[in-house]
CSV table of all heavy atoms in Angstrom, one decimal:
chain,number,residue,atom,x,y,z
P,49,SER,N,1.8,1.2,7.1
P,49,SER,CA,0.9,1.6,6.1
P,49,SER,C,0.1,0.4,5.6
P,49,SER,O,-1.1,0.5,5.4
P,49,SER,CB,1.8,2.1,4.9
P,49,SER,OG,1.0,2.4,3.8
P,50,ALA,N,0.7,-0.8,5.5
P,50,ALA,CA,0.0,-2.0,5.0
P,50,ALA,C,-1.1,-2.4,6.1
P,50,ALA,O,-2.2,-2.7,5.7
P,50,ALA,CB,0.9,-3.1,4.8
P,51,ALA,N,-0.7,-2.4,7.3
P,51,ALA,CA,-1.6,-2.8,8.4
P,51,ALA,C,-2.8,-1.9,8.5
P,51,ALA,O,-4.0,-2.3,8.6
P,51,ALA,CB,-0.9,-2.9,9.7
P,52,PHE,N,-2.6,-0.6,8.6
P,52,PHE,CA,-3.7,0.4,8.7
P,52,PHE,C,-4.6,0.4,7.5
P,52,PHE,O,-5.8,0.5,7.7
P,52,PHE,CB,-3.1,1.8,9.1
P,52,PHE,CG,-2.7,1.9,10.5
P,52,PHE,CD1,-1.5,2.5,10.9
P,52,PHE,CD2,-3.6,1.5,11.5
P,52,PHE,CE1,-1.1,2.6,12.2
P,52,PHE,CE2,-3.2,1.6,12.9
P,52,PHE,CZ,-2.0,2.1,13.2
P,53,SER,N,-4.0,0.4,6.3
P,53,SER,CA,-4.9,0.4,5.1
P,53,SER,C,-5.7,-0.9,5.1
P,53,SER,O,-6.9,-0.8,4.7
P,53,SER,CB,-4.0,0.5,3.8
P,53,SER,OG,-3.1,-0.5,3.7
P,54,ALA,N,-5.1,-2.0,5.4
P,54,ALA,CA,-5.9,-3.3,5.4
P,54,ALA,C,-7.0,-3.2,6.5
P,54,ALA,O,-8.1,-3.7,6.2
P,54,ALA,CB,-5.0,-4.5,5.6
P,55,LEU,N,-6.7,-2.7,7.7
P,55,LEU,CA,-7.7,-2.6,8.7
P,55,LEU,C,-8.9,-1.7,8.3
P,55,LEU,O,-10.0,-2.0,8.5
P,55,LEU,CB,-7.1,-2.1,10.0
P,55,LEU,CG,-6.4,-3.1,10.9
P,55,LEU,CD1,-5.7,-2.4,12.0
P,55,LEU,CD2,-7.4,-4.1,11.4
P,56,LEU,N,-8.5,-0.5,7.7
P,56,LEU,CA,-9.5,0.4,7.2
P,56,LEU,C,-10.4,-0.2,6.1
P,56,LEU,O,-11.6,0.0,6.0
P,56,LEU,CB,-8.9,1.7,6.8
P,56,LEU,CG,-8.4,2.6,7.9
P,56,LEU,CD1,-7.7,3.8,7.3
P,56,LEU,CD2,-9.6,3.1,8.7
P,57,LEU,N,-9.8,-0.9,5.2
P,57,LEU,CA,-10.5,-1.6,4.1
P,57,LEU,C,-11.5,-2.7,4.7
P,57,LEU,O,-12.6,-2.8,4.2
P,57,LEU,CB,-9.6,-2.2,3.0
P,57,LEU,CG,-8.9,-1.2,2.1
P,57,LEU,CD1,-7.9,-1.8,1.3
P,57,LEU,CD2,-10.0,-0.5,1.3
P,58,ASP,N,-11.0,-3.4,5.7
P,58,ASP,CA,-11.9,-4.4,6.3
P,58,ASP,C,-13.0,-3.7,7.0
P,58,ASP,O,-14.2,-4.2,6.9
P,58,ASP,CB,-11.1,-5.2,7.3
P,58,ASP,CG,-10.4,-6.4,6.7
P,58,ASP,OD1,-10.7,-6.7,5.5
P,58,ASP,OD2,-9.7,-7.1,7.4
P,59,ALA,N,-12.8,-2.6,7.6
P,59,ALA,CA,-13.9,-1.9,8.3
P,59,ALA,C,-14.8,-1.3,7.3
P,59,ALA,O,-16.1,-1.3,7.5
P,59,ALA,CB,-13.3,-0.7,9.2
P,60,MET,N,-14.3,-0.7,6.2
P,60,MET,CA,-15.2,-0.1,5.2
P,60,MET,C,-16.1,-1.2,4.5
P,60,MET,O,-17.2,-0.9,4.1
P,60,MET,CB,-14.4,0.6,4.1
P,60,MET,CG,-13.8,1.9,4.6
P,60,MET,SD,-13.0,2.8,3.3
P,60,MET,CE,-11.8,3.6,4.2
P,61,TYR,N,-15.5,-2.4,4.3
P,61,TYR,CA,-16.3,-3.4,3.6
P,61,TYR,C,-17.0,-4.3,4.6
P,61,TYR,O,-17.7,-5.3,4.2
P,61,TYR,CB,-15.4,-4.3,2.7
P,61,TYR,CG,-15.1,-3.6,1.4
P,61,TYR,CD1,-13.8,-3.4,1.0
P,61,TYR,CD2,-16.1,-3.2,0.5
P,61,TYR,CE1,-13.4,-2.8,-0.2
P,61,TYR,CE2,-15.8,-2.6,-0.7
P,61,TYR,CZ,-14.5,-2.4,-1.0
P,61,TYR,OH,-14.2,-1.8,-2.2
P,62,ALA,N,-17.0,-4.0,5.9
P,62,ALA,CA,-17.7,-4.7,7.0
P,62,ALA,C,-17.3,-6.2,7.0
P,62,ALA,O,-18.2,-7.0,7.1
P,62,ALA,CB,-19.2,-4.5,6.9
P,63,ARG,N,-16.0,-6.5,6.8
P,63,ARG,CA,-15.6,-7.9,6.9
P,63,ARG,C,-15.4,-8.2,8.4
P,63,ARG,O,-14.9,-7.4,9.1
P,63,ARG,CB,-14.3,-8.1,6.1
P,63,ARG,CG,-14.4,-7.8,4.7
P,63,ARG,CD,-13.1,-8.0,4.0
P,63,ARG,NE,-13.0,-7.4,2.7
P,63,ARG,CZ,-12.0,-6.8,2.1
P,63,ARG,NH1,-10.9,-6.7,2.8
P,63,ARG,NH2,-12.1,-6.3,0.9
P,64,ASN,N,-15.7,-9.4,8.7
P,64,ASN,CA,-15.6,-9.8,10.1
P,64,ASN,C,-14.3,-10.7,10.4
P,64,ASN,O,-14.2,-11.2,11.5
P,64,ASN,CB,-16.8,-10.5,10.6
P,64,ASN,CG,-17.2,-11.7,9.8
P,64,ASN,OD1,-16.5,-12.0,8.8
P,64,ASN,ND2,-18.3,-12.3,10.1
P,65,CYS,N,-13.5,-10.8,9.5
P,65,CYS,CA,-12.3,-11.6,9.6
P,65,CYS,C,-11.1,-10.8,9.5
P,65,CYS,O,-11.0,-9.9,8.6
P,65,CYS,CB,-12.3,-12.7,8.6
P,65,CYS,SG,-10.9,-13.9,8.7
P,66,LEU,N,-10.1,-10.9,10.3
P,66,LEU,CA,-8.9,-10.1,10.3
P,66,LEU,C,-7.7,-10.7,9.7
P,66,LEU,O,-6.6,-10.4,10.0
P,66,LEU,CB,-8.5,-9.7,11.8
P,66,LEU,CG,-9.5,-8.7,12.4
P,66,LEU,CD1,-9.1,-8.5,13.9
P,66,LEU,CD2,-9.6,-7.4,11.7
P,67,THR,N,-8.0,-11.6,8.7
P,67,THR,CA,-6.8,-12.2,8.0
P,67,THR,C,-6.2,-11.3,7.0
P,67,THR,O,-5.0,-11.4,6.7
P,67,THR,CB,-7.3,-13.5,7.3
P,67,THR,OG1,-8.3,-13.2,6.3
P,67,THR,CG2,-7.8,-14.5,8.3
Side-chain angles (χ1 to χ4, degrees):
S49 174
F52 282 132
S53 64
L55 279 172
L56 285 174
L57 286 172
D58 272 354
M60 286 183 210
Y61 283 124
R63 298 179 194 146
N64 54 3
C65 185
L66 292 177
T67 58

